[in-house]
Amino acid sequence: MHEFSIVSSLLESCEEIAQQNKAQKILTITLDIGERSGVNVALLKSAFEEFKCGSICEDSKLLIQESKVELTCEQCHQTSIPKELNYTRCPQCGSDQVKITKGNEMLLLRLEME
Ligand SMILES: [Zn+2]
């Protein structure tokens, strides 16, 4: 499953960052998940609960923030957040030369360690 591999690479980066910072454990993990990232938040959370045992994240809390899609138009160079589920047209000028510049990825925003 997609979410399992996300969680295992997330735990790996947490271990790495903790080592670099000489931290003993990670208290909270904050993730930003774009609404078009294809990540199922509920599945991600349950995969995390399952995988964290025995890792540096055993006592961590997983906080998830969801971010909206943002479009950038190649015609008028404006950035906009579409109100409808229409990601193919610029709401400013109507051009279809738009790119999704936000909301299609998952980011590790913050780690709280001790
Ligand atoms: Zn435009």
Side-chain angles (χ1 to χ4, degrees), residues 37-71:
S37 63
V39 177
N40 180 317
V41 173
L43 276 179
L44 187 76
K45 281 184 177 165
S46 64
F48 179 76
E49 292 306 314
E50 207 172 304
F51 275 49
K52 70 176 185 180
C53 299
S55 79
I56 194 157
C57 302
E58 184 140 23
D59 301 315
S60 326
K61 241 207 295 186
L62 182 64
L63 303 176
I64 290 174
Q65 157 180 330
E66 287 174 80
S67 64
K68 293 270 172 219
V69 163
E70 198 179 272
L71 297 178

PDB file of all heavy atoms in Angstrom, residues 37-71:
ATOM      1  N   SER A  37      -2.532  15.159  -3.330  1.00  0.00           N
ATOM      2  CA  SER A  37      -1.336  14.335  -3.223  1.00  0.00           C
ATOM      3  C   SER A  37      -1.666  12.856  -3.367  1.00  0.00           C
ATOM      4  O   SER A  37      -0.781  12.043  -3.566  1.00  0.00           O
ATOM      5  CB  SER A  37      -0.661  14.571  -1.876  1.00  0.00           C
ATOM      6  OG  SER A  37      -1.530  14.161  -0.837  1.00  0.00           O
ATOM      7  N   GLY A  38      -2.939  12.510  -3.259  1.00  0.00           N
ATOM      8  CA  GLY A  38      -3.330  11.111  -3.363  1.00  0.00           C
ATOM      9  C   GLY A  38      -3.086  10.330  -2.086  1.00  0.00           C
ATOM     10  O   GLY A  38      -3.230   9.117  -2.066  1.00  0.00           O
ATOM     11  N   VAL A  39      -2.733  11.041  -1.021  1.00  0.00           N
ATOM     12  CA  VAL A  39      -2.493  10.368   0.251  1.00  0.00           C
ATOM     13  C   VAL A  39      -3.801  10.298   1.028  1.00  0.00           C
ATOM     14  O   VAL A  39      -4.499  11.293   1.177  1.00  0.00           O
ATOM     15  CB  VAL A  39      -1.425  11.120   1.083  1.00  0.00           C
ATOM     16  CG1 VAL A  39      -1.237  10.469   2.439  1.00  0.00           C
ATOM     17  CG2 VAL A  39      -0.119  11.185   0.327  1.00  0.00           C
ATOM     18  N   ASN A  40      -4.113   9.115   1.505  1.00  0.00           N
ATOM     19  CA  ASN A  40      -5.300   8.936   2.324  1.00  0.00           C
ATOM     20  C   ASN A  40      -4.897   9.160   3.781  1.00  0.00           C
ATOM     21  O   ASN A  40      -4.151   8.385   4.364  1.00  0.00           O
ATOM     22  CB  ASN A  40      -5.832   7.523   2.101  1.00  0.00           C
ATOM     23  CG  ASN A  40      -7.078   7.245   2.916  1.00  0.00           C
ATOM     24  OD1 ASN A  40      -7.164   7.595   4.097  1.00  0.00           O
ATOM     25  ND2 ASN A  40      -8.043   6.615   2.289  1.00  0.00           N
ATOM     26  N   VAL A  41      -5.403  10.253   4.362  1.00  0.00           N
ATOM     27  CA  VAL A  41      -4.970  10.669   5.694  1.00  0.00           C
ATOM     28  C   VAL A  41      -5.300   9.626   6.758  1.00  0.00           C
ATOM     29  O   VAL A  41      -4.477   9.315   7.617  1.00  0.00           O
ATOM     30  CB  VAL A  41      -5.573  12.048   6.050  1.00  0.00           C
ATOM     31  CG1 VAL A  41      -5.279  12.422   7.487  1.00  0.00           C
ATOM     32  CG2 VAL A  41      -5.022  13.114   5.115  1.00  0.00           C
ATOM     33  N   ALA A  42      -6.492   9.044   6.684  1.00  0.00           N
ATOM     34  CA  ALA A  42      -6.894   8.047   7.678  1.00  0.00           C
ATOM     35  C   ALA A  42      -5.969   6.829   7.617  1.00  0.00           C
ATOM     36  O   ALA A  42      -5.512   6.318   8.642  1.00  0.00           O
ATOM     37  CB  ALA A  42      -8.341   7.636   7.450  1.00  0.00           C
ATOM     38  N   LEU A  43      -5.676   6.385   6.398  1.00  0.00           N
ATOM     39  CA  LEU A  43      -4.769   5.244   6.226  1.00  0.00           C
ATOM     40  C   LEU A  43      -3.363   5.575   6.690  1.00  0.00           C
ATOM     41  O   LEU A  43      -2.688   4.741   7.295  1.00  0.00           O
ATOM     42  CB  LEU A  43      -4.700   4.843   4.748  1.00  0.00           C
ATOM     43  CG  LEU A  43      -5.778   3.923   4.214  1.00  0.00           C
ATOM     44  CD1 LEU A  43      -5.549   3.654   2.739  1.00  0.00           C
ATOM     45  CD2 LEU A  43      -5.787   2.617   4.992  1.00  0.00           C
ATOM     46  N   LEU A  44      -2.952   6.790   6.400  1.00  0.00           N
ATOM     47  CA  LEU A  44      -1.616   7.219   6.792  1.00  0.00           C
ATOM     48  C   LEU A  44      -1.477   7.184   8.312  1.00  0.00           C
ATOM     49  O   LEU A  44      -0.493   6.702   8.846  1.00  0.00           O
ATOM     50  CB  LEU A  44      -1.349   8.630   6.263  1.00  0.00           C
ATOM     51  CG  LEU A  44       0.066   9.132   6.470  1.00  0.00           C
ATOM     52  CD1 LEU A  44       1.005   8.486   5.482  1.00  0.00           C
ATOM     53  CD2 LEU A  44       0.135  10.627   6.345  1.00  0.00           C
ATOM     54  N   LYS A  45      -2.518   7.677   8.994  1.00  0.00           N
ATOM     55  CA  LYS A  45      -2.485   7.686  10.454  1.00  0.00           C
ATOM     56  C   LYS A  45      -2.428   6.276  11.017  1.00  0.00           C
ATOM     57  O   LYS A  45      -1.681   6.000  11.945  1.00  0.00           O
ATOM     58  CB  LYS A  45      -3.715   8.401  11.008  1.00  0.00           C
ATOM     59  CG  LYS A  45      -3.600   9.904  10.948  1.00  0.00           C
ATOM     60  CD  LYS A  45      -4.812  10.545  11.595  1.00  0.00           C
ATOM     61  CE  LYS A  45      -4.685  12.054  11.607  1.00  0.00           C
ATOM     62  NZ  LYS A  45      -5.979  12.689  11.892  1.00  0.00           N
ATOM     63  N   SER A  46      -3.228   5.372  10.456  1.00  0.00           N
ATOM     64  CA  SER A  46      -3.217   4.028  11.024  1.00  0.00           C
ATOM     65  C   SER A  46      -1.924   3.295  10.691  1.00  0.00           C
ATOM     66  O   SER A  46      -1.403   2.542  11.511  1.00  0.00           O
ATOM     67  CB  SER A  46      -4.462   3.226  10.627  1.00  0.00           C
ATOM     68  OG  SER A  46      -4.485   3.021   9.254  1.00  0.00           O
ATOM     69  N   ALA A  47      -1.368   3.564   9.510  1.00  0.00           N
ATOM     70  CA  ALA A  47      -0.070   2.978   9.179  1.00  0.00           C
ATOM     71  C   ALA A  47       1.001   3.496  10.126  1.00  0.00           C
ATOM     72  O   ALA A  47       1.875   2.755  10.569  1.00  0.00           O
ATOM     73  CB  ALA A  47       0.309   3.300   7.729  1.00  0.00           C
ATOM     74  N   PHE A  48       0.906   4.767  10.478  1.00  0.00           N
ATOM     75  CA  PHE A  48       1.882   5.358  11.388  1.00  0.00           C
ATOM     76  C   PHE A  48       1.806   4.695  12.760  1.00  0.00           C
ATOM     77  O   PHE A  48       2.824   4.334  13.347  1.00  0.00           O
ATOM     78  CB  PHE A  48       1.650   6.871  11.501  1.00  0.00           C
ATOM     79  CG  PHE A  48       2.596   7.556  12.438  1.00  0.00           C
ATOM     80  CD1 PHE A  48       3.900   7.799  12.055  1.00  0.00           C
ATOM     81  CD2 PHE A  48       2.174   7.952  13.697  1.00  0.00           C
ATOM     82  CE1 PHE A  48       4.793   8.422  12.930  1.00  0.00           C
ATOM     83  CE2 PHE A  48       3.049   8.574  14.576  1.00  0.00           C
ATOM     84  CZ  PHE A  48       4.360   8.809  14.186  1.00  0.00           C
ATOM     85  N   GLU A  49       0.575   4.516  13.270  1.00  0.00           N
ATOM     86  CA  GLU A  49       0.401   3.889  14.581  1.00  0.00           C
ATOM     87  C   GLU A  49       1.009   2.488  14.595  1.00  0.00           C
ATOM     88  O   GLU A  49       1.546   2.040  15.598  1.00  0.00           O
ATOM     89  CB  GLU A  49      -1.089   3.801  14.942  1.00  0.00           C
ATOM     90  CG  GLU A  49      -1.762   5.142  15.195  1.00  0.00           C
ATOM     91  CD  GLU A  49      -1.032   5.995  16.244  1.00  0.00           C
ATOM     92  OE1 GLU A  49      -0.670   5.455  17.308  1.00  0.00           O
ATOM     93  OE2 GLU A  49      -0.817   7.204  15.990  1.00  0.00           O
ATOM     94  N   GLU A  50       0.897   1.808  13.473  1.00  0.00           N
ATOM     95  CA  GLU A  50       1.390   0.442  13.375  1.00  0.00           C
ATOM     96  C   GLU A  50       2.915   0.393  13.276  1.00  0.00           C
ATOM     97  O   GLU A  50       3.560  -0.454  13.867  1.00  0.00           O
ATOM     98  CB  GLU A  50       0.775  -0.188  12.122  1.00  0.00           C
ATOM     99  CG  GLU A  50       0.620  -1.676  12.175  1.00  0.00           C
ATOM    100  CD  GLU A  50      -0.159  -2.151  10.974  1.00  0.00           C
ATOM    101  OE1 GLU A  50      -1.298  -1.666  10.766  1.00  0.00           O
ATOM    102  OE2 GLU A  50       0.372  -2.982  10.229  1.00  0.00           O
ATOM    103  N   PHE A  51       3.468   1.322  12.514  1.00  0.00           N
ATOM    104  CA  PHE A  51       4.898   1.294  12.200  1.00  0.00           C
ATOM    105  C   PHE A  51       5.775   1.936  13.264  1.00  0.00           C
ATOM    106  O   PHE A  51       6.959   1.663  13.328  1.00  0.00           O
ATOM    107  CB  PHE A  51       5.158   2.028  10.874  1.00  0.00           C
ATOM    108  CG  PHE A  51       4.973   1.171   9.663  1.00  0.00           C
ATOM    109  CD1 PHE A  51       3.838   0.405   9.499  1.00  0.00           C
ATOM    110  CD2 PHE A  51       5.937   1.142   8.663  1.00  0.00           C
ATOM    111  CE1 PHE A  51       3.656  -0.378   8.374  1.00  0.00           C
ATOM    112  CE2 PHE A  51       5.770   0.362   7.533  1.00  0.00           C
ATOM    113  CZ  PHE A  51       4.627  -0.391   7.379  1.00  0.00           C
ATOM    114  N   LYS A  52       5.208   2.820  14.053  1.00  0.00           N
ATOM    115  CA  LYS A  52       6.062   3.606  14.944  1.00  0.00           C
ATOM    116  C   LYS A  52       6.628   2.792  16.104  1.00  0.00           C
ATOM    117  O   LYS A  52       7.613   3.188  16.706  1.00  0.00           O
ATOM    118  CB  LYS A  52       5.305   4.825  15.466  1.00  0.00           C
ATOM    119  CG  LYS A  52       4.194   4.516  16.454  1.00  0.00           C
ATOM    120  CD  LYS A  52       3.587   5.803  16.967  1.00  0.00           C
ATOM    121  CE  LYS A  52       2.561   5.541  18.049  1.00  0.00           C
ATOM    122  NZ  LYS A  52       1.968   6.794  18.554  1.00  0.00           N
ATOM    123  N   CYS A  53       6.004   1.655  16.431  1.00  0.00           N
ATOM    124  CA  CYS A  53       6.470   0.835  17.545  1.00  0.00           C
ATOM    125  C   CYS A  53       7.920   0.433  17.341  1.00  0.00           C
ATOM    126  O   CYS A  53       8.298  -0.076  16.295  1.00  0.00           O
ATOM    127  CB  CYS A  53       5.609  -0.419  17.678  1.00  0.00           C
ATOM    128  SG  CYS A  53       3.908  -0.025  17.995  1.00  0.00           S
ATOM    129  N   GLY A  54       8.722   0.688  18.373  1.00  0.00           N
ATOM    130  CA  GLY A  54      10.128   0.310  18.302  1.00  0.00           C
ATOM    131  C   GLY A  54      11.000   1.322  17.587  1.00  0.00           C
ATOM    132  O   GLY A  54      12.207   1.171  17.544  1.00  0.00           O
ATOM    133  N   SER A  55      10.404   2.350  17.037  1.00  0.00           N
ATOM    134  CA  SER A  55      11.215   3.365  16.366  1.00  0.00           C
ATOM    135  C   SER A  55      11.364   4.577  17.272  1.00  0.00           C
ATOM    136  O   SER A  55      10.767   4.639  18.348  1.00  0.00           O
ATOM    137  CB  SER A  55      10.557   3.776  15.046  1.00  0.00           C
ATOM    138  OG  SER A  55       9.504   4.678  15.299  1.00  0.00           O
ATOM    139  N   ILE A  56      12.138   5.521  16.799  1.00  0.00           N
ATOM    140  CA  ILE A  56      12.342   6.744  17.570  1.00  0.00           C
ATOM    141  C   ILE A  56      11.036   7.533  17.705  1.00  0.00           C
ATOM    142  O   ILE A  56      10.879   8.408  18.537  1.00  0.00           O
ATOM    143  CB  ILE A  56      13.462   7.593  16.929  1.00  0.00           C
ATOM    144  CG1 ILE A  56      13.920   8.668  17.891  1.00  0.00           C
ATOM    145  CG2 ILE A  56      13.025   8.180  15.577  1.00  0.00           C
ATOM    146  CD1 ILE A  56      15.299   9.168  17.628  1.00  0.00           C
ATOM    147  N   CYS A  57      10.079   7.182  16.899  1.00  0.00           N
ATOM    148  CA  CYS A  57       8.784   7.883  16.898  1.00  0.00           C
ATOM    149  C   CYS A  57       7.734   7.176  17.754  1.00  0.00           C
ATOM    150  O   CYS A  57       6.552   7.505  17.665  1.00  0.00           O
ATOM    151  CB  CYS A  57       8.259   8.006  15.481  1.00  0.00           C
ATOM    152  SG  CYS A  57       9.384   8.866  14.397  1.00  0.00           S
ATOM    153  N   GLU A  58       8.171   6.216  18.560  1.00  0.00           N
ATOM    154  CA  GLU A  58       7.223   5.419  19.336  1.00  0.00           C
ATOM    155  C   GLU A  58       6.223   6.264  20.123  1.00  0.00           C
ATOM    156  O   GLU A  58       5.051   5.930  20.197  1.00  0.00           O
ATOM    157  CB  GLU A  58       7.990   4.476  20.272  1.00  0.00           C
ATOM    158  CG  GLU A  58       7.081   3.540  21.051  1.00  0.00           C
ATOM    159  CD  GLU A  58       7.642   2.122  21.170  1.00  0.00           C
ATOM    160  OE1 GLU A  58       8.873   1.964  21.049  1.00  0.00           O
ATOM    161  OE2 GLU A  58       6.838   1.200  21.374  1.00  0.00           O
ATOM    162  N   ASP A  59       6.695   7.364  20.726  1.00  0.00           N
ATOM    163  CA  ASP A  59       5.798   8.211  21.520  1.00  0.00           C
ATOM    164  C   ASP A  59       5.384   9.479  20.800  1.00  0.00           C
ATOM    165  O   ASP A  59       4.901  10.416  21.421  1.00  0.00           O
ATOM    166  CB  ASP A  59       6.475   8.592  22.849  1.00  0.00           C
ATOM    167  CG  ASP A  59       6.841   7.360  23.665  1.00  0.00           C
ATOM    168  OD1 ASP A  59       5.993   6.453  23.772  1.00  0.00           O
ATOM    169  OD2 ASP A  59       7.981   7.301  24.169  1.00  0.00           O
ATOM    170  N   SER A  60       5.581   9.528  19.518  1.00  0.00           N
ATOM    171  CA  SER A  60       5.277  10.772  18.805  1.00  0.00           C
ATOM    172  C   SER A  60       3.808  10.897  18.461  1.00  0.00           C
ATOM    173  O   SER A  60       3.106   9.914  18.245  1.00  0.00           O
ATOM    174  CB  SER A  60       6.025  10.865  17.485  1.00  0.00           C
ATOM    175  OG  SER A  60       7.256  10.285  17.542  1.00  0.00           O
ATOM    176  N   LYS A  61       3.445  12.141  18.388  1.00  0.00           N
ATOM    177  CA  LYS A  61       2.104  12.459  17.917  1.00  0.00           C
ATOM    178  C   LYS A  61       2.225  12.913  16.465  1.00  0.00           C
ATOM    179  O   LYS A  61       3.144  13.655  16.117  1.00  0.00           O
ATOM    180  CB  LYS A  61       1.517  13.591  18.753  1.00  0.00           C
ATOM    181  CG  LYS A  61       0.265  13.143  19.478  1.00  0.00           C
ATOM    182  CD  LYS A  61      -0.710  14.251  19.791  1.00  0.00           C
ATOM    183  CE  LYS A  61      -0.214  15.283  20.763  1.00  0.00           C
ATOM    184  NZ  LYS A  61      -1.119  16.266  21.205  1.00  0.00           N
ATOM    185  N   LEU A  62       1.313  12.460  15.645  1.00  0.00           N
ATOM    186  CA  LEU A  62       1.340  12.845  14.240  1.00  0.00           C
ATOM    187  C   LEU A  62       0.271  13.906  14.001  1.00  0.00           C
ATOM    188  O   LEU A  62      -0.911  13.670  14.221  1.00  0.00           O
ATOM    189  CB  LEU A  62       1.072  11.610  13.372  1.00  0.00           C
ATOM    190  CG  LEU A  62       1.107  11.796  11.862  1.00  0.00           C
ATOM    191  CD1 LEU A  62       2.487  12.192  11.386  1.00  0.00           C
ATOM    192  CD2 LEU A  62       0.676  10.514  11.171  1.00  0.00           C
ATOM    193  N   LEU A  63       0.726  15.090  13.604  1.00  0.00           N
ATOM    194  CA  LEU A  63      -0.221  16.165  13.316  1.00  0.00           C
ATOM    195  C   LEU A  63      -0.271  16.366  11.812  1.00  0.00           C
ATOM    196  O   LEU A  63       0.762  16.420  11.148  1.00  0.00           O
ATOM    197  CB  LEU A  63       0.218  17.464  13.985  1.00  0.00           C
ATOM    198  CG  LEU A  63       0.398  17.418  15.508  1.00  0.00           C
ATOM    199  CD1 LEU A  63       0.917  18.752  16.017  1.00  0.00           C
ATOM    200  CD2 LEU A  63      -0.910  17.063  16.191  1.00  0.00           C
ATOM    201  N   ILE A  64      -1.458  16.460  11.300  1.00  0.00           N
ATOM    202  CA  ILE A  64      -1.597  16.600   9.859  1.00  0.00           C
ATOM    203  C   ILE A  64      -2.359  17.856   9.509  1.00  0.00           C
ATOM    204  O   ILE A  64      -3.399  18.163  10.085  1.00  0.00           O
ATOM    205  CB  ILE A  64      -2.281  15.350   9.263  1.00  0.00           C
ATOM    206  CG1 ILE A  64      -1.295  14.181   9.362  1.00  0.00           C
ATOM    207  CG2 ILE A  64      -2.680  15.583   7.807  1.00  0.00           C
ATOM    208  CD1 ILE A  64      -1.850  12.866   8.958  1.00  0.00           C
ATOM    209  N   GLN A  65      -1.772  18.554   8.581  1.00  0.00           N
ATOM    210  CA  GLN A  65      -2.380  19.785   8.099  1.00  0.00           C
ATOM    211  C   GLN A  65      -2.617  19.549   6.613  1.00  0.00           C
ATOM    212  O   GLN A  65      -1.751  19.040   5.918  1.00  0.00           O
ATOM    213  CB  GLN A  65      -1.364  20.876   8.403  1.00  0.00           C
ATOM    214  CG  GLN A  65      -1.443  22.107   7.606  1.00  0.00           C
ATOM    215  CD  GLN A  65      -0.341  23.077   8.072  1.00  0.00           C
ATOM    216  OE1 GLN A  65       0.091  23.099   9.224  1.00  0.00           O
ATOM    217  NE2 GLN A  65       0.146  23.869   7.156  1.00  0.00           N
ATOM    218  N   GLU A  66      -3.798  19.874   6.158  1.00  0.00           N
ATOM    219  CA  GLU A  66      -4.082  19.638   4.755  1.00  0.00           C
ATOM    220  C   GLU A  66      -4.031  20.951   3.989  1.00  0.00           C
ATOM    221  O   GLU A  66      -4.572  21.949   4.446  1.00  0.00           O
ATOM    222  CB  GLU A  66      -5.447  18.967   4.600  1.00  0.00           C
ATOM    223  CG  GLU A  66      -5.395  17.513   5.051  1.00  0.00           C
ATOM    224  CD  GLU A  66      -6.758  16.833   5.069  1.00  0.00           C
ATOM    225  OE1 GLU A  66      -7.216  16.418   3.999  1.00  0.00           O
ATOM    226  OE2 GLU A  66      -7.344  16.761   6.156  1.00  0.00           O
ATOM    227  N   SER A  67      -3.360  20.935   2.852  1.00  0.00           N
ATOM    228  CA  SER A  67      -3.281  22.184   2.117  1.00  0.00           C
ATOM    229  C   SER A  67      -4.036  22.101   0.797  1.00  0.00           C
ATOM    230  O   SER A  67      -4.125  21.057   0.158  1.00  0.00           O
ATOM    231  CB  SER A  67      -1.834  22.607   1.900  1.00  0.00           C
ATOM    232  OG  SER A  67      -1.179  21.667   1.101  1.00  0.00           O
ATOM    233  N   LYS A  68      -4.575  23.233   0.439  1.00  0.00           N
ATOM    234  CA  LYS A  68      -5.383  23.364  -0.765  1.00  0.00           C
ATOM    235  C   LYS A  68      -4.516  23.413  -2.014  1.00  0.00           C
ATOM    236  O   LYS A  68      -3.354  23.780  -1.956  1.00  0.00           O
ATOM    237  CB  LYS A  68      -6.187  24.676  -0.687  1.00  0.00           C
ATOM    238  CG  LYS A  68      -7.227  24.671   0.393  1.00  0.00           C
ATOM    239  CD  LYS A  68      -8.528  24.153  -0.166  1.00  0.00           C
ATOM    240  CE  LYS A  68      -9.560  23.947   0.937  1.00  0.00           C
ATOM    241  NZ  LYS A  68     -10.354  22.738   0.702  1.00  0.00           N
ATOM    242  N   VAL A  69      -5.135  23.106  -3.110  1.00  0.00           N
ATOM    243  CA  VAL A  69      -4.450  23.211  -4.386  1.00  0.00           C
ATOM    244  C   VAL A  69      -4.243  24.677  -4.749  1.00  0.00           C
ATOM    245  O   VAL A  69      -5.106  25.515  -4.506  1.00  0.00           O
ATOM    246  CB  VAL A  69      -5.294  22.521  -5.488  1.00  0.00           C
ATOM    247  CG1 VAL A  69      -4.852  22.934  -6.877  1.00  0.00           C
ATOM    248  CG2 VAL A  69      -5.186  21.021  -5.345  1.00  0.00           C
ATOM    249  N   GLU A  70      -3.085  24.954  -5.292  1.00  0.00           N
ATOM    250  CA  GLU A  70      -2.817  26.293  -5.778  1.00  0.00           C
ATOM    251  C   GLU A  70      -2.401  26.178  -7.239  1.00  0.00           C
ATOM    252  O   GLU A  70      -1.601  25.327  -7.596  1.00  0.00           O
ATOM    253  CB  GLU A  70      -1.678  26.884  -4.947  1.00  0.00           C
ATOM    254  CG  GLU A  70      -1.575  28.375  -5.041  1.00  0.00           C
ATOM    255  CD  GLU A  70      -0.442  28.877  -4.159  1.00  0.00           C
ATOM    256  OE1 GLU A  70      -0.683  29.132  -2.972  1.00  0.00           O
ATOM    257  OE2 GLU A  70       0.680  28.982  -4.670  1.00  0.00           O
ATOM    258  N   LEU A  71      -2.972  27.022  -8.050  1.00  0.00           N
ATOM    259  CA  LEU A  71      -2.660  27.013  -9.476  1.00  0.00           C
ATOM    260  C   LEU A  71      -1.819  28.220  -9.840  1.00  0.00           C
ATOM    261  O   LEU A  71      -2.029  29.302  -9.321  1.00  0.00           O
ATOM    262  CB  LEU A  71      -3.952  27.086 -10.302  1.00  0.00           C
ATOM    263  CG  LEU A  71      -4.950  25.952 -10.200  1.00  0.00           C
ATOM    264  CD1 LEU A  71      -6.168  26.279 -11.059  1.00  0.00           C
ATOM    265  CD2 LEU A  71      -4.336  24.644 -10.648  1.00  0.00           C
TER     266      LEU A  71
END
